[in-house]
Amino acid sequence: MKLIGLKLPHPTRNQNGDASRDCGGLWQIFTTQNIVQSIPNKKSENIYAVYYDYESDHNGDYSYFLGCEVQEDTPTPAGLNDVFIPVQQYQIITAKGQMPDCIAAAWREIWSTPINRAYGFDLEVYDERSADWSNAEVNIYLSIY
């Protein structure tokens, strides 16, 4: 599947608040600049947060991307980025509660649980269930072996 959106311009990591600051900053740009409206040929209004290009495991550097799924032949507009998600096996974890705390709690649980993670392309899918930030549901797709 092809996504078009914004890529964090540098790798981030889950240490010293780096990921929270970096990913949160990308979300702020994504929303304040209304990037969703500039993405052509969207298959839906769902927003995908993608974690990929892992250096090692959840303790190493990784890349981060925010975007929407588009038709695969859609040209990527100037100023935006794209990422292609390969076919993978996933384990789905659902974060529930107040945003963004429920996402952070879900990831802490993931990191402390023995899951046979592939560290390929991990996705958070923000759909209509995440519209109410006081009571949201977000599926997290973990690439597994």
Side-chain angles (χ1 to χ4, degrees):
M1 117 175 112
K2 180 179 182 177
L3 304 177
I4 291 179
L6 293 179
K7 177 183 178 183
L8 192 64
H10 54 80
T12 191
R13 60 182 30 230
N14 298 324
Q15 295 173 2
N16 303 320
D18 291 351
S20 179
R21 181 178 55 254
D22 293 341
C23 299
L26 191 65
W27 269 103
Q28 186 171 16
I29 293 167
F30 191 82
T31 55
T32 59
Q33 294 184 9
N34 202 12
I35 299 298
V36 169
Q37 296 308 313
S38 61
I39 299 172
N41 301 324
K42 289 186 297 289
K43 290 189 171 183
S44 74
E45 294 298 311
N46 294 350
I47 297 172
Y48 292 77
V50 185
Y51 303 78
Y52 64 107
D53 285 345
Y54 287 94
E55 174 185 74
S56 55
D57 60 12
H58 68 276
N59 293 309
D61 288 358
Y62 58 87
S63 295
Y64 186 73
F65 177 94
L66 291 173
C68 297
E69 183 181 7
V70 299
Q71 298 170 16
E72 287 195 22
D73 60 351
T74 302
T76 302
L80 296 181
N81 308 104
D82 58 37
V83 68
F84 291 86
I85 309 297
V87 174
Q88 306 175 110
Q89 288 188 337
Y90 291 104
Q91 179 171 336
I92 302 171
I93 307 293
T94 302
K96 295 180 182 182
Q98 186 169 352
M99 292 284 290
D101 299 338
C102 66
I103 298 295
W107 280 107
R108 283 192 299 274
E109 179 70 21
I110 290 165
W111 297 333
S112 65
T113 304
I115 299 171
N116 197 13
R117 293 184 60 195
Y119 293 97
F121 289 78
D122 298 326
L123 315 168
E124 295 167 355
V125 181
Y126 295 85
D127 57 23
E128 65 280 349
R129 298 172 305 139
S130 61
D132 177 2
W133 273 42
S134 65
N135 185 27
E137 283 188 38
V138 176
N139 284 344
I140 301 172
Y141 292 75
L142 300 173
S143 58
I144 59 170
Y145 290 110

